[in-house]
Amino acid sequence: MDLTREPHRSIRDAADNIREYNHRTINGPEAFYGEHPINTAPPAIGEAVGALYVLFERLPQAVDQTAAAVRHVEEQQAIRMANGDDPGEAVSRLLRSLIDARQSMLLAQTHLRSAVQVSSNMAGHWLDDDQLEEAR
């Protein structure tokens, strides 16, 4: 964790990591296959679901802290709108949008929690060595 970077860089790096995941998995479930796909894919998918939950668990705090920064800068009267809009009105719209986004994240978190409850129990079949050789 590098706490010396500009705050937006952390979020952009997280977005890049999600993009990497999307590219790895775009062509199908093979990205989740290990040496023995029958055994490793189900728990690997479960791990991905759990990681998505953790991501959405952390996003509301990021939105809250960003909104707090917006409010602080507004209190300092340090905002000028390049398009000529009234800063107060623009900040109100921005904060409303962040609140709405946060609510959506909390809803997604609820659904992902349910998904984790199911996926955390997913496992591959127990196969003996001969069956594993045939599955390759």
Side-chain angles (χ1 to χ4, degrees):
M1 183 180 325
D2 182 357
L3 298 178
T4 62
R5 293 186 294 176
E6 291 189 33
H8 73 275
R9 179 58 24 218
S10 298
I11 295 171
R12 292 216 184 269
D13 288 350
D16 286 343
N17 286 332
I18 294 299
R19 183 172 184 237
E20 175 186 328
Y21 172 86
N22 291 344
H23 280 275
R24 289 266 338 258
T25 60
I26 196 167
N27 292 322
E30 291 80 12
F32 296 100
Y33 293 175
E35 185 176 332
H36 304 293
I38 290 174
N39 285 355
T40 59
I45 293 167
E47 287 289 330
V49 172
L52 284 169
Y53 174 73
V54 170
L55 174 66
F56 273 83
E57 190 176 52
R58 293 179 178 159
L59 285 173
Q61 181 180 358
V63 170
D64 288 347
Q65 291 173 198
T66 303
V70 170
R71 284 191 293 278
H72 177 77
V73 172
E74 180 190 33
E75 288 169 3
Q76 304 301 312
Q77 297 181 348
I79 299 174
R80 176 188 63 82
M81 299 299 295
N83 63 0
D85 284 357
D86 175 74
E89 291 176 20
V91 166
S92 291
R93 286 193 315 268
L94 170 59
L95 291 174
R96 179 76 251 162
S97 294
L98 289 173
I99 289 168
D100 291 345
R102 185 183 193 284
Q103 292 303 315
S104 295
M105 289 171 193
L106 291 174
L107 179 60
Q109 202 180 102
T110 299
H111 293 296
L112 286 167
R113 186 179 305 115
S114 295
V116 165
Q117 291 170 345
V118 175
S119 67
S120 66
N121 289 298
M122 290 177 17
H125 292 285
W126 294 101
L127 300 175
D128 63 28
D129 290 340
D130 291 340
Q131 290 173 310
L132 285 175
E133 287 298 322
E134 292 172 13
R136 288 185 190 176

mmCIF file of all heavy atoms in Angstrom, residues 3-30:
data_model
loop_
_atom_site.group_PDB
_atom_site.id
_atom_site.type_symbol
_atom_site.label_atom_id
_atom_site.label_comp_id
_atom_site.label_asym_id
_atom_site.label_seq_id
_atom_site.Cartn_x
_atom_site.Cartn_y
_atom_site.Cartn_z
ATOM 1 N N LEU A 3 0.794 5.006 0.502
ATOM 2 C CA LEU A 3 -0.025 6.108 1.001
ATOM 3 C C LEU A 3 0.519 7.474 0.599
ATOM 4 O O LEU A 3 0.025 8.499 1.067
ATOM 5 C CB LEU A 3 -0.154 6.013 2.524
ATOM 6 C CG LEU A 3 -0.853 4.747 3.023
ATOM 7 C CD1 LEU A 3 -0.877 4.720 4.545
ATOM 8 C CD2 LEU A 3 -2.254 4.621 2.445
ATOM 9 N N THR A 4 1.530 7.492 -0.282
ATOM 10 C CA THR A 4 2.087 8.776 -0.721
ATOM 11 C C THR A 4 1.539 9.206 -2.078
ATOM 12 O O THR A 4 1.770 10.331 -2.501
ATOM 13 C CB THR A 4 3.627 8.687 -0.816
ATOM 14 O OG1 THR A 4 3.988 7.710 -1.796
ATOM 15 C CG2 THR A 4 4.221 8.327 0.540
ATOM 16 N N ARG A 5 0.824 8.316 -2.754
ATOM 17 C CA ARG A 5 0.265 8.658 -4.067
ATOM 18 C C ARG A 5 -0.902 9.620 -3.925
ATOM 19 O O ARG A 5 -1.540 9.699 -2.879
ATOM 20 C CB ARG A 5 -0.270 7.408 -4.775
ATOM 21 C CG ARG A 5 0.785 6.441 -5.152
ATOM 22 C CD ARG A 5 0.210 5.318 -5.951
ATOM 23 N NE ARG A 5 -0.707 4.515 -5.128
ATOM 24 C CZ ARG A 5 -1.421 3.513 -5.579
ATOM 25 N NH1 ARG A 5 -1.362 3.177 -6.844
ATOM 26 N NH2 ARG A 5 -2.200 2.817 -4.794
ATOM 27 N N GLU A 6 -1.199 10.314 -5.020
ATOM 28 C CA GLU A 6 -2.401 11.143 -5.035
ATOM 29 C C GLU A 6 -3.606 10.215 -4.911
ATOM 30 O O GLU A 6 -3.614 9.120 -5.479
ATOM 31 C CB GLU A 6 -2.464 11.959 -6.319
ATOM 32 C CG GLU A 6 -1.378 13.031 -6.374
ATOM 33 C CD GLU A 6 -1.578 13.983 -7.538
ATOM 34 O OE1 GLU A 6 -2.732 14.260 -7.896
ATOM 35 O OE2 GLU A 6 -0.560 14.427 -8.080
ATOM 36 N N PRO A 7 -4.640 10.637 -4.173
ATOM 37 C CA PRO A 7 -5.782 9.750 -3.907
ATOM 38 C C PRO A 7 -6.424 9.149 -5.162
ATOM 39 O O PRO A 7 -6.773 7.965 -5.169
ATOM 40 C CB PRO A 7 -6.764 10.652 -3.170
ATOM 41 C CG PRO A 7 -5.900 11.668 -2.496
ATOM 42 C CD PRO A 7 -4.761 11.912 -3.457
ATOM 43 N N HIS A 8 -6.571 9.924 -6.220
ATOM 44 C CA HIS A 8 -7.234 9.388 -7.416
ATOM 45 C C HIS A 8 -6.449 8.242 -8.047
ATOM 46 O O HIS A 8 -7.007 7.375 -8.697
ATOM 47 C CB HIS A 8 -7.490 10.489 -8.447
ATOM 48 C CG HIS A 8 -6.249 10.948 -9.152
ATOM 49 N ND1 HIS A 8 -5.414 11.914 -8.635
ATOM 50 C CD2 HIS A 8 -5.706 10.552 -10.321
ATOM 51 C CE1 HIS A 8 -4.406 12.098 -9.471
ATOM 52 N NE2 HIS A 8 -4.560 11.283 -10.502
ATOM 53 N N ARG A 9 -5.131 8.209 -7.842
ATOM 54 C CA ARG A 9 -4.296 7.165 -8.429
ATOM 55 C C ARG A 9 -4.685 5.796 -7.868
ATOM 56 O O ARG A 9 -4.717 4.805 -8.596
ATOM 57 C CB ARG A 9 -2.813 7.481 -8.151
ATOM 58 C CG ARG A 9 -1.820 6.501 -8.667
ATOM 59 C CD ARG A 9 -1.733 6.146 -10.131
ATOM 60 N NE ARG A 9 -2.212 7.059 -11.125
ATOM 61 C CZ ARG A 9 -2.854 6.679 -12.250
ATOM 62 N NH1 ARG A 9 -3.089 5.416 -12.488
ATOM 63 N NH2 ARG A 9 -3.237 7.554 -13.126
ATOM 64 N N SER A 10 -4.996 5.728 -6.587
ATOM 65 C CA SER A 10 -5.401 4.454 -5.980
ATOM 66 C C SER A 10 -6.662 3.918 -6.643
ATOM 67 O O SER A 10 -6.765 2.716 -6.936
ATOM 68 C CB SER A 10 -5.656 4.630 -4.480
ATOM 69 O OG SER A 10 -4.484 5.033 -3.831
ATOM 70 N N ILE A 11 -7.612 4.803 -6.891
ATOM 71 C CA ILE A 11 -8.864 4.382 -7.513
ATOM 72 C C ILE A 11 -8.624 3.979 -8.965
ATOM 73 O O ILE A 11 -9.163 2.980 -9.447
ATOM 74 C CB ILE A 11 -9.931 5.487 -7.393
ATOM 75 C CG1 ILE A 11 -10.284 5.693 -5.916
ATOM 76 C CG2 ILE A 11 -11.180 5.120 -8.192
ATOM 77 C CD1 ILE A 11 -11.156 6.886 -5.647
ATOM 78 N N ARG A 12 -7.797 4.721 -9.672
ATOM 79 C CA ARG A 12 -7.495 4.361 -11.068
ATOM 80 C C ARG A 12 -6.784 3.008 -11.144
ATOM 81 O O ARG A 12 -7.049 2.220 -12.044
ATOM 82 C CB ARG A 12 -6.655 5.444 -11.724
ATOM 83 C CG ARG A 12 -7.425 6.730 -11.916
ATOM 84 C CD ARG A 12 -7.036 7.416 -13.197
ATOM 85 N NE ARG A 12 -7.722 8.679 -13.315
ATOM 86 C CZ ARG A 12 -8.895 8.839 -13.914
ATOM 87 N NH1 ARG A 12 -9.498 7.808 -14.439
ATOM 88 N NH2 ARG A 12 -9.448 10.032 -13.988
ATOM 89 N N ASP A 13 -5.887 2.747 -10.199
ATOM 90 C CA ASP A 13 -5.204 1.454 -10.190
ATOM 91 C C ASP A 13 -6.199 0.318 -9.926
ATOM 92 O O ASP A 13 -6.100 -0.754 -10.533
ATOM 93 C CB ASP A 13 -4.085 1.438 -9.150
ATOM 94 C CG ASP A 13 -2.892 2.282 -9.571
ATOM 95 O OD1 ASP A 13 -2.832 2.738 -10.734
ATOM 96 O OD2 ASP A 13 -2.008 2.509 -8.709
ATOM 97 N N ALA A 14 -7.142 0.550 -9.021
ATOM 98 C CA ALA A 14 -8.178 -0.457 -8.762
ATOM 99 C C ALA A 14 -8.997 -0.702 -10.027
ATOM 100 O O ALA A 14 -9.292 -1.854 -10.376
ATOM 101 C CB ALA A 14 -9.075 -0.013 -7.615
ATOM 102 N N ALA A 15 -9.337 0.360 -10.743
ATOM 103 C CA ALA A 15 -10.085 0.225 -11.996
ATOM 104 C C ALA A 15 -9.268 -0.551 -13.025
ATOM 105 O O ALA A 15 -9.818 -1.393 -13.760
ATOM 106 C CB ALA A 15 -10.463 1.602 -12.533
ATOM 107 N N ASP A 16 -7.969 -0.308 -13.084
ATOM 108 C CA ASP A 16 -7.108 -1.052 -14.007
ATOM 109 C C ASP A 16 -7.071 -2.537 -13.650
ATOM 110 O O ASP A 16 -7.044 -3.390 -14.538
ATOM 111 C CB ASP A 16 -5.686 -0.484 -14.007
ATOM 112 C CG ASP A 16 -5.572 0.841 -14.740
ATOM 113 O OD1 ASP A 16 -6.488 1.183 -15.514
ATOM 114 O OD2 ASP A 16 -4.554 1.537 -14.532
ATOM 115 N N ASN A 17 -7.076 -2.846 -12.363
ATOM 116 C CA ASN A 17 -7.093 -4.246 -11.937
ATOM 117 C C ASN A 17 -8.397 -4.931 -12.341
ATOM 118 O O ASN A 17 -8.388 -6.086 -12.767
ATOM 119 C CB ASN A 17 -6.875 -4.364 -10.429
ATOM 120 C CG ASN A 17 -5.433 -4.105 -10.052
ATOM 121 O OD1 ASN A 17 -4.523 -4.341 -10.824
ATOM 122 N ND2 ASN A 17 -5.228 -3.596 -8.850
ATOM 123 N N ILE A 18 -9.508 -4.223 -12.238
ATOM 124 C CA ILE A 18 -10.791 -4.775 -12.667
ATOM 125 C C ILE A 18 -10.778 -4.980 -14.182
ATOM 126 O O ILE A 18 -11.273 -5.990 -14.700
ATOM 127 C CB ILE A 18 -11.959 -3.873 -12.235
ATOM 128 C CG1 ILE A 18 -12.079 -3.839 -10.713
ATOM 129 C CG2 ILE A 18 -13.268 -4.316 -12.883
ATOM 130 C CD1 ILE A 18 -12.361 -5.179 -10.072
ATOM 131 N N ARG A 19 -10.188 -4.038 -14.896
ATOM 132 C CA ARG A 19 -10.083 -4.177 -16.352
ATOM 133 C C ARG A 19 -9.263 -5.421 -16.712
ATOM 134 O O ARG A 19 -9.603 -6.170 -17.625
ATOM 135 C CB ARG A 19 -9.438 -2.919 -16.945
ATOM 136 C CG ARG A 19 -9.366 -2.938 -18.448
ATOM 137 C CD ARG A 19 -8.889 -1.581 -18.970
ATOM 138 N NE ARG A 19 -8.930 -1.600 -20.418
ATOM 139 C CZ ARG A 19 -7.892 -1.370 -21.205
ATOM 140 N NH1 ARG A 19 -6.718 -1.078 -20.686
ATOM 141 N NH2 ARG A 19 -8.011 -1.410 -22.505
ATOM 142 N N GLU A 20 -8.175 -5.631 -15.987
ATOM 143 C CA GLU A 20 -7.355 -6.830 -16.204
ATOM 144 C C GLU A 20 -8.183 -8.093 -15.988
ATOM 145 O O GLU A 20 -8.145 -9.036 -16.790
ATOM 146 C CB GLU A 20 -6.161 -6.817 -15.259
ATOM 147 C CG GLU A 20 -5.304 -8.052 -15.316
ATOM 148 C CD GLU A 20 -4.212 -8.035 -14.256
ATOM 149 O OE1 GLU A 20 -3.708 -6.962 -13.899
ATOM 150 O OE2 GLU A 20 -3.876 -9.135 -13.771
ATOM 151 N N TYR A 21 -8.965 -8.119 -14.908
ATOM 152 C CA TYR A 21 -9.839 -9.258 -14.625
ATOM 153 C C TYR A 21 -10.824 -9.464 -15.782
ATOM 154 O O TYR A 21 -11.028 -10.591 -16.242
ATOM 155 C CB TYR A 21 -10.604 -9.019 -13.318
ATOM 156 C CG TYR A 21 -11.670 -10.051 -13.051
ATOM 157 C CD1 TYR A 21 -11.353 -11.247 -12.405
ATOM 158 C CD2 TYR A 21 -12.984 -9.852 -13.453
ATOM 159 C CE1 TYR A 21 -12.321 -12.206 -12.170
ATOM 160 C CE2 TYR A 21 -13.952 -10.808 -13.224
ATOM 161 C CZ TYR A 21 -13.618 -11.975 -12.584
ATOM 162 O OH TYR A 21 -14.581 -12.927 -12.361
ATOM 163 N N ASN A 22 -11.429 -8.376 -16.253
ATOM 164 C CA ASN A 22 -12.385 -8.470 -17.357
ATOM 165 C C ASN A 22 -11.730 -9.048 -18.609
ATOM 166 O O ASN A 22 -12.328 -9.884 -19.296
ATOM 167 C CB ASN A 22 -13.003 -7.109 -17.658
ATOM 168 C CG ASN A 22 -13.932 -6.639 -16.551
ATOM 169 O OD1 ASN A 22 -14.354 -7.416 -15.707
ATOM 170 N ND2 ASN A 22 -14.234 -5.361 -16.546
ATOM 171 N N HIS A 23 -10.514 -8.624 -18.897
ATOM 172 C CA HIS A 23 -9.799 -9.152 -20.066
ATOM 173 C C HIS A 23 -9.446 -10.629 -19.881
ATOM 174 O O HIS A 23 -9.522 -11.412 -20.826
ATOM 175 C CB HIS A 23 -8.535 -8.338 -20.359
ATOM 176 C CG HIS A 23 -8.803 -7.070 -21.091
ATOM 177 N ND1 HIS A 23 -8.916 -7.017 -22.464
ATOM 178 C CD2 HIS A 23 -9.014 -5.811 -20.643
ATOM 179 C CE1 HIS A 23 -9.177 -5.770 -22.833
ATOM 180 N NE2 HIS A 23 -9.242 -5.021 -21.749
ATOM 181 N N ARG A 24 -9.056 -10.997 -18.669
ATOM 182 C CA ARG A 24 -8.692 -12.398 -18.408
ATOM 183 C C ARG A 24 -9.882 -13.327 -18.541
ATOM 184 O O ARG A 24 -9.741 -14.486 -18.914
ATOM 185 C CB ARG A 24 -8.138 -12.561 -16.981
ATOM 186 C CG ARG A 24 -6.798 -11.999 -16.707
ATOM 187 C CD ARG A 24 -5.607 -12.923 -16.849
ATOM 188 N NE ARG A 24 -5.780 -14.347 -16.776
ATOM 189 C CZ ARG A 24 -5.502 -15.096 -15.724
ATOM 190 N NH1 ARG A 24 -5.038 -14.564 -14.624
ATOM 191 N NH2 ARG A 24 -5.664 -16.396 -15.763
ATOM 192 N N THR A 25 -11.075 -12.835 -18.211
ATOM 193 C CA THR A 25 -12.253 -13.708 -18.151
ATOM 194 C C THR A 25 -13.223 -13.513 -19.310
ATOM 195 O O THR A 25 -14.225 -14.215 -19.376
ATOM 196 C CB THR A 25 -13.002 -13.489 -16.827
ATOM 197 O OG1 THR A 25 -13.431 -12.118 -16.737
ATOM 198 C CG2 THR A 25 -12.125 -13.838 -15.634
ATOM 199 N N ILE A 26 -12.941 -12.621 -20.236
ATOM 200 C CA ILE A 26 -13.891 -12.287 -21.298
ATOM 201 C C ILE A 26 -14.189 -13.469 -22.223
ATOM 202 O O ILE A 26 -15.294 -13.590 -22.749
ATOM 203 C CB ILE A 26 -13.420 -11.066 -22.112
ATOM 204 C CG1 ILE A 26 -14.583 -10.500 -22.927
ATOM 205 C CG2 ILE A 26 -12.235 -11.419 -23.004
ATOM 206 C CD1 ILE A 26 -14.303 -9.129 -23.519
ATOM 207 N N ASN A 27 -13.240 -14.348 -22.417
ATOM 208 C CA ASN A 27 -13.428 -15.450 -23.357
ATOM 209 C C ASN A 27 -13.982 -16.718 -22.718
ATOM 210 O O ASN A 27 -14.011 -17.760 -23.348
ATOM 211 C CB ASN A 27 -12.113 -15.757 -24.075
ATOM 212 C CG ASN A 27 -11.726 -14.628 -24.998
ATOM 213 O OD1 ASN A 27 -12.573 -14.017 -25.638
ATOM 214 N ND2 ASN A 27 -10.440 -14.316 -25.040
ATOM 215 N N GLY A 28 -14.399 -16.619 -21.483
ATOM 216 C CA GLY A 28 -15.011 -17.774 -20.853
ATOM 217 C C GLY A 28 -14.336 -18.170 -19.560
ATOM 218 O O GLY A 28 -13.422 -17.506 -19.074
ATOM 219 N N PRO A 29 -14.799 -19.271 -19.012
ATOM 220 C CA PRO A 29 -14.356 -19.689 -17.683
ATOM 221 C C PRO A 29 -12.956 -20.289 -17.618
ATOM 222 O O PRO A 29 -12.475 -20.587 -16.529
ATOM 223 C CB PRO A 29 -15.408 -20.737 -17.292
ATOM 224 C CG PRO A 29 -15.874 -21.298 -18.581
ATOM 225 C CD PRO A 29 -15.841 -20.139 -19.553
ATOM 226 N N GLU A 30 -12.294 -20.440 -18.759
ATOM 227 C CA GLU A 30 -10.973 -21.063 -18.743
ATOM 228 C C GLU A 30 -9.985 -20.324 -17.841
ATOM 229 O O GLU A 30 -9.038 -20.920 -17.327
ATOM 230 C CB GLU A 30 -10.404 -21.168 -20.165
ATOM 231 C CG GLU A 30 -11.139 -22.153 -21.044
ATOM 232 C CD GLU A 30 -12.430 -21.594 -21.638
ATOM 233 O OE1 GLU A 30 -12.654 -20.361 -21.560
ATOM 234 O OE2 GLU A 30 -13.215 -22.387 -22.155
#
